[in-house]
Amino acid sequence: MKCVIQGGRVIDPASQLEADHAIYIADGKIVAITDTLDGFTADVTLDARGRIVCPGLVDLSARLREPGQEHTATIDSESRAASAGGITTLVVPPDTDPVIDTPAVVELIEDRAKKAGRVMVLTMGALTQQLDGELLAEMAALKQAGCVGVSNGLNAVKNTVVWRRALEYAATLDLTVFITAADGWLQRQGCIHEGTVSARLGLNGIPESAETIAVMRDLLLIEQTGVRAHFHNISSGRALSMIRDAQEKGLNITADVSAHHLHLCEHDLGNYDSFSHVMPPLRSIRDREQLQQGVRSGVIQAICSHHQPLDADAKLGPFAETQPGISGLETLLPLTLKLVEDDELDLRTALASLTCQPAAILGIEAGQLKVGATADICVIDTDAHYECQPNQFVSAGKNSPFAGWLFHYQPCYTLFQGKLVYQR
Amino acid sequence: MANNQLTEHGRLRHFLTIEGLKRPLLTEIMDRAEQFSGLGNRQVKKVPLLRGKTIINLFFENSTRTRSTFELAAKRLSADVMNFNISTSATAKGESLLDTLHNLEAMHTDMFVVRHNQSGAAEFIAQHVAPHVSVINAGDGCHAHPTQAMLDMFTIRRHKGQFADLRVAIVGDILHSRVARSQIQALATLGVGEIRVIGPQTLLPRDCQTMGVHVFHDLASGLEGVDVVIMLRLQLERMQGALLPSAREYYRCFGLTAEKLRHAKPDAIVMHPGPINRGVEIASAVADGPQSVILEQVTHGIAIRMAVMSMALGSQSDLQEAQS
């Protein structure tokens, strides 16, 4: 199929291209980025006048709930949601059921993603068997099966010896280790950030040190083992400054933040709003500002959805008994570009943190617009003016604290491998 | 924030927390309790204010004193009362909290009195009940116990007459105490001169100064010149979580003895929400001594709960009349 996207403002942070061009696509690849292309007859012409044409988004962490929790969401349902969010590549963390610690699970997920055919679903392999932090997973086999990295999901490895050996073994295989930094003992005591709000609401708090102690430990072991590492979902300003110092020292580390941590803080819990129950918890206003600064300065390279679709019952109950998580695929782009509206980020940095930078972390050819590249493209309506209504989400998970927020940016076309997979 | 417990006319619909309530409303609760306080001495200890109303005590956590006083208060208001027994409840069989609630609501309940071990549970229930149902928080997790706080305020007012010049100390496990949180909010709303909290750092919330209190780690200096000493119950399982080394050491540092009490003003009153641990947080000589008002607190609990129940169901009746 041949397709042309005409009249849009093409912005590709990877090549620093920003110009009004048409993009010509044939056989799933970009064949030209230019004003006109003689002899090209398109089967489909997409009108992008007044809109931004950018690479399809790359999301480093999105839980699709399959296998294991198909009653909550499926690869098919969440692939549709990803397309509606302008995402063309996403990474599934290993905490599925069964855990992604064998090639068979990798193949199962890839097969179902291919059948859905709307988004590139990549898998993150388990660092330890069953994510239990005791025995190393078969990382070489997982790498061979296609895993783009290894991780222990949200389960902290408490045993420092196992942790060190896992990092050493991953380094041997040249695998990037993706870390959600949390001291298991300090984190498990609470459900929200330890501070003024936890004191007022009488909820057990998770201190900032639950994150900083783990980051410091991990940085020391990363330095010692020489492994390439990525910190997922950083939530505190102090952890960020530790990562910045380590990057300046030359450590091979990167970091991401969730779009919701860039907008919300502990005070958004209001009167026990379970939709704001996330892990790591929403921290102070100052932390939120420092995270935004971290994206501006480049210490944080990627903004992610950290999508966790949940069924309605999971959020119905007293706050501490509800499950943490936000359905984030469809708010990733508008939340990130809201920071541009608010003058917290420039447009190119915002788009880079959603496209080429996460792709670079994964070491994959995605998140860029260039001749010969796979045509994964997002066309963004910059003047959409709509109210976020989670009950209208394509995702099976309607759990979002952003109901009623006004957004101005919205994907209007998503192309995956040259095929139009979403149109609004 | 907490105004979902008020009707659009500013009347009490639910009673979930002291936070967000204004001083005149707290004063009205105490004034109404004053009217009920003599009832217990009469031969017929009943008024017909809530005749025909159905109240369910929904206790998901053990309690004797609070449940009994709520039950007695409801009966003295002539309401029909049912105690929901958690040990044989459907929730224990796996039914969700919300399903349990809606089933009981379908029995045409007018009010739920809720105790739950999770902070925010009463708020959650209040958000999901039908418009004509009131919810009274009888203690949720570590969050709030507003009727306990009000009976404490009532007791203080009876002994001290006013709040403005008072210095009040709250001693013990502030971190896990719903009573302390509600007391601090009530004392602040009523304009108390100074609120102190006294305890080891392990039992104080981080940033608790933001609640408007002065923090002391030494009992003697914290009690210096105070008018009211409120002791909190120490849960003995706190020793398990490495919050304290032993009950013996806690008593040595924070147990209220006659000697320590001498640092307070000579006419200071000693309060405790009960049940007390003698020899852990308070010495028997003090608990039973002339400055103790602990048993009065229990008596006042009935009047305060009558006041709150009648106000909440009264405003609901007004609402229904206005709608009909």
Side-chain angles (χ1 to χ4, degrees), chain A residues 194 199-200 202 271-272 317, chain B residues 1 19 118-119 124 143 181 206:
Chain A
E194 183 180 272
R200 184 172 66 81
N271 269 356
Y272 302 98
Chain B
M1 275 286 270
E19 191 184 5
Q118 291 291 349
S119 299
F124 173 75
H143 172 229
R181 277 181 182 77
R206 188 174 156 188

Side-chain angles (χ1 to χ4, degrees), chain B residues 256-267:
Chain B
L256 186 63
T257 59
E259 186 194 349
K260 296 259 178 66
L261 184 57
R262 278 197 278 274
H263 290 274
K265 283 187 182 168
D267 63 344

Side-chain angles (χ1 to χ4, degrees), chain A residues 99-122:
Chain A
V99 166
I100 308 178
D101 60 0
T102 63
V105 185
V106 177
E107 284 164 21
L108 182 144
I109 292 171
E110 284 182 355
D111 280 353
R112 296 198 181 166
K114 270 180 196 154
K115 272 183 196 149
R118 290 185 194 85
V119 62
M120 176 60 72
V121 175
L122 302 171

